[in-house]
C-alpha cells in the first residue's frame, strides 16, 4: 500500500498547516479592509491610549512635580473638610437640645401621659375644602347618625403601637422583625438620639425606651455608634465626611424563658464507649430584631472580615444611620406612611456615614 503521508518529499501535515496559514492571512486581509472593523479598532485604541493615567505618564517631569504639589494641597483640603464636619457634629448636638422638648411632648402624646389641646391637634389637610363641601350637602339624619357612632367610638390611651407600626411600615426594619418580636416591640414607647459630649470622640447613641413588660427588666436598651471624621492616611482622597466605624450594644436582662434571641433544640448524642444514646438540649442563636443590641465588632487588629461579616456590619451601620437621620426626627411621618412615599420618590443614595472601615 502506498504511503500518503509524504508528497514530493514534504510531510502532508506541513502542507496542511501552510494551507491554513494562507487562509488565515487572506481572512485577516479581508477583515482589515472592512471600514467598520477598522473604525472599531481605532476607537478601541483611542480609548486605551487616552485614559487619564496613561496621559499623566506622558507628561514631563516638571509637570508631574506640580501635580504632586496639587495633591499635597488636596490632602490639606481634606483635613479642613474633616474639621468642618466636626463643627457640624457640634451644631447637631446644640440643635438636638432644642428639638428635645418637642420630642418629649411627642412621647407624652404617644403614651397618653398628656392630651393635646384643640390648638395643638388642629391640622389642615389637603382635602379640607372637599371635606367641607361634602359636609355641607349631608342631611341632618346622616350627621346625627355619625355623631352617635362617634360617641360610641373607642378612645384608647395615647397612640397605640406607634413605634411598632413604624417598624412594620419601614422595609429596612420589618425585615429584621420576627413574629415573636412583635409583642415586645409593642411595649416600645420612645427612641432617642444622644450625641457625644464636647471634647469626646465623635459618636451617637440610640436609646430605645420600653414600658414595663414580661420579657426583660431593662427600661432602656442602647446602641452606640462610633464615628471618625478624618482622612485615611493610606487613602486621604477617599474622605467624604464622617464615617461610622464601629458600634457597641448592651446586655438585655431577659426574664426566665423569654429570651427570643436564642432557641432550645434537642439533639441525640451517642456515647463512644458504651454505645448508649442520650438526648441533650442545647441553646443556639435565633433570628430576632433584638440581636441588633449584640452587634458584630469591626476588626481592629488589621485582619479583614469575611464577606458575610462585612455585609452584616455595613447593614448595621446603615440601620443606625437611618434611625438617627430619618426615623427619630420624622417619626409621625413614618407612622402615617407619608415619609415612606417621599423616600420612594427620591433617588436612592448611600450616606457617607455608613462606610465600614
Amino acid at each position: 500500500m502506498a504511503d500518503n503521508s509524504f508528497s514530493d518529499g514534504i510531510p502532508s501535515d506541513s502542507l496542511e498547516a501552510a494551507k491554513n496559514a494562507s487562509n488565515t492571512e487572506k481572512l485577516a486581509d479581508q477583515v482589515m479592509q472592512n471600514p467598520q472593523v477598522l473604525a472599531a479598532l481605532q476607537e478601541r485604541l483611542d480609548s486605551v491610549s487616552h485614559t487619564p493615567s496613561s496621559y499623566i505618564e506622558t507628561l514631563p517631569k516638571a509637570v508631574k512635580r506640580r501635580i504632586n504639589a496639587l495633591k499635597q494641597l488636596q490632602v490639606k483640603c481634606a483635613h479642613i473638610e474633616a474639621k468642618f464636619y466636626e463643627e457640624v457634629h457640634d451644631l447637631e448636638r446644640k440643635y438636638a437640645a432644642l428639638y428635645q422638648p418637642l420630642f418629649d411632648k411627642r412621647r407624652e402624646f404617644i403614651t397618653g401621659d398628656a392630651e393635646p389641646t384643640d390648638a395643638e391637634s388642629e391640622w389642615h389637610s389637603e382635602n379640607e375644602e372637599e371635606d367641607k363641601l361634602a359636609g355641607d350637602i349631608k342631611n341632618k339624619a346622616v350627621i346625627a347618625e355619625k355623631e352617635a357612632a362617634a360617641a360610641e367610638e373607642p378612645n384608647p390611651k395615647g397612640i397605640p403601637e406607634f413605634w411598632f407600626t413604624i417598624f412594620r411600615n419601614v422595609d429596612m426594619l420589618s425585615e429584621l422583625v420576627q413574629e415573636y418580636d412583635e409583642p415586645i416591640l409593642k411595649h416600645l414607647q420612645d427612641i432617642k438620639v444622644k450625641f457625644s459630649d464636647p471634647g469626646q470622640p465623635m459618636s451617637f447613641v440610640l436609646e430605645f425606651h420600653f414600658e414595663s413588660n414580661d420579657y426583660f427588666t431593662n427600661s432602656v436598651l442602647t446602641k452606640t455608634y462610633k464615628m471618625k471624621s478624618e482622612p485615611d492616611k493610606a487613602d486621604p482622597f477617599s474622605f467624604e465626611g464622617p464615617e461610622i466605624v464601629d458600634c457597641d450594644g448592651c446586655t438585655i436582662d431577659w426574664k426566665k424563658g423569654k429570651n427570643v434571641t436564642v432557641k432550645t433544640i434537642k439533639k441525640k448524642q451517642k456515647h463512644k464507649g458504651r454505645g448508649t444514646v442520650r438526648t441533650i438540649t442545647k441553646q443556639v442563636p435565633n433570628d430576632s430584631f433584638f440581636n441588633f443590641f449584640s452587634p458584630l465588632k469591626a476588626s481592629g487588629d488589621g485582619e479583614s472580615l469575611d464577606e458575610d461579616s462585612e455585609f452584616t456590619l455595613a447593614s448595621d451601620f446603615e440601620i443606625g444611620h437611618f434611625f438617627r437621620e430619618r426615623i427619630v426626627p420624622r417619626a409621625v411621618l413614618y407612622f402615617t406612611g407619608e415619609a415612606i412615599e417621599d423616600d420612594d420618590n427620591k433617588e436612592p443614595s448611600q450616606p457617607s456615614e455608613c462606610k465600614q472601615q
Side-chain angles (χ1 to χ4, degrees):
M1 181 179 295
D3 188 352
N4 295 324
S5 61
F6 287 83
S7 176
D8 296 332
I10 301 175
S12 60
D13 54 352
S14 297
L15 290 172
E16 187 67 24
K19 183 178 179 180
N20 290 338
S22 177
N23 290 337
T24 301
E25 289 177 3
K26 290 180 180 179
L27 181 61
D29 288 341
Q30 292 175 0
V31 169
M32 294 306 293
Q33 291 174 8
N34 187 323
Q36 292 180 333
V37 173
L38 288 173
L41 285 172
Q42 186 62 47
E43 183 178 353
R44 176 77 174 177
L45 289 171
D46 290 343
S47 65
V48 171
S49 61
H50 288 87
T51 58
S53 58
S54 64
Y55 168 68
I56 297 300
E57 291 301 319
T58 65
L59 295 175
K61 287 184 178 180
V63 176
K64 290 180 181 178
R65 182 173 175 274
R66 295 170 195 132
I67 292 172
N68 289 338
L70 294 184
K71 288 184 177 181
Q72 288 271 16
L73 296 177
Q74 190 63 44
V75 171
K76 292 179 181 179
C77 287
H79 283 280
I80 293 174
E81 186 180 6
K83 294 295 182 183
F84 163 77
Y85 282 114
E86 288 178 5
E87 293 194 20
V88 169
H89 189 72
D90 291 338
L91 279 175
E92 286 182 306
R93 184 192 306 110
K94 172 185 174 181
Y95 280 88
L98 301 179
Y99 289 132
Q100 196 53 52
L102 302 178
F103 291 159
D104 289 342
K105 181 166 282 192
R106 177 177 71 184
R107 174 175 176 161
E108 291 176 350
F109 292 162
I110 291 170
T111 60
D113 291 340
E115 192 69 27
T117 65
D118 289 343
E120 289 173 328
S121 58
E122 184 178 352
W123 184 256
H124 301 286
S125 67
E126 294 179 358
N127 299 323
E128 185 176 14
E129 291 300 323
E130 294 179 12
D131 293 342
K132 185 176 183 303
L133 290 173
D136 291 341
I137 61 175
K138 290 177 182 177
N139 58 54
K140 292 182 180 181
V142 173
I143 294 174
E145 184 180 341
K146 289 194 173 184
E147 287 176 348
E152 298 174 3
E153 187 178 26
N155 184 17
K157 185 179 180 181
I159 304 176
E161 302 178 4
F162 179 85
W163 292 100
F164 170 65
T165 300
I166 292 175
F167 272 73
R168 194 168 50 191
N169 288 347
V170 178
D171 290 342
M172 184 186 297
L173 303 181
S174 64
E175 291 172 356
L176 304 176
V177 177
Q178 309 299 319
E179 186 176 351
Y180 39 81
D181 292 328
E182 294 181 2
I184 310 176
L185 288 171
K186 290 178 182 179
H187 293 285
L188 181 58
Q189 294 187 313
D190 198 12
I191 304 177
K192 295 181 179 181
V193 178
K194 296 289 183 69
F195 293 91
S196 53
D197 293 331
Q200 296 298 313
M202 188 182 294
S203 66
F204 67 92
V205 181
L206 298 177
E207 294 183 350
F208 295 74
H209 292 252
F210 287 83
E211 64 182 348
S212 178
N213 59 78
D214 296 331
Y215 298 92
F216 46 72
T217 59
N218 312 64
S219 59
V220 182
L221 301 180
T222 61
K223 184 75 169 282
T224 302
Y225 286 90
K226 301 174 183 179
M227 302 168 66
K228 184 185 80 168
S229 181
E230 62 182 77
D232 190 290
K233 291 181 180 179
D235 186 17
F237 303 133
S238 65
F239 181 73
E240 294 180 350
E243 301 170 341
I244 297 174
V245 294
D246 202 2
C247 56
D248 292 322
C250 67
T251 300
I252 302 178
D253 299 319
W254 295 99
K255 294 182 180 180
K256 187 176 180 180
K258 298 295 186 178
N259 188 349
V260 295
T261 65
V262 295
K263 60 183 176 181
T264 302
I265 61 171
K266 292 183 178 181
K267 186 178 180 181
K268 290 185 177 181
Q269 188 179 66
K270 187 176 181 179
H271 193 280
K272 292 181 179 179
R274 295 191 296 269
T276 56
V277 178
R278 64 172 182 170
T279 301
I280 61 171
T281 58
K282 182 181 179 182
Q283 282 194 334
V284 296
N286 196 28
D287 290 337
S288 168
F289 164 73
F290 291 91
N291 290 322
F292 180 73
F293 300 99
S294 301
L296 184 70
K297 293 295 294 178
S299 178
D301 53 9
E303 294 182 5
S304 59
L305 298 172
D306 60 56
E307 188 174 343
D308 289 342
S309 297
E310 285 187 352
F311 177 80
T312 300
L313 200 59
S315 298
D316 190 316
F317 292 174
E318 184 178 3
I319 292 167
H321 183 273
F322 196 80
F323 269 118
R324 168 189 157 172
E325 295 292 324
R326 304 286 188 86
I327 298 294
V328 173
R330 309 178 70 202
V332 65
L333 302 181
Y334 281 96
F335 176 80
T336 62
E338 294 165 82
I340 297 170
E341 293 173 3
D342 290 343
D343 290 344
D344 290 342
N345 292 332
K346 292 178 181 177
E347 288 293 327
S349 61
Q350 283 290 340
S352 63
E353 294 187 13
C354 293
K355 292 182 180 179
Q356 185 259 318
Q357 293 293 296

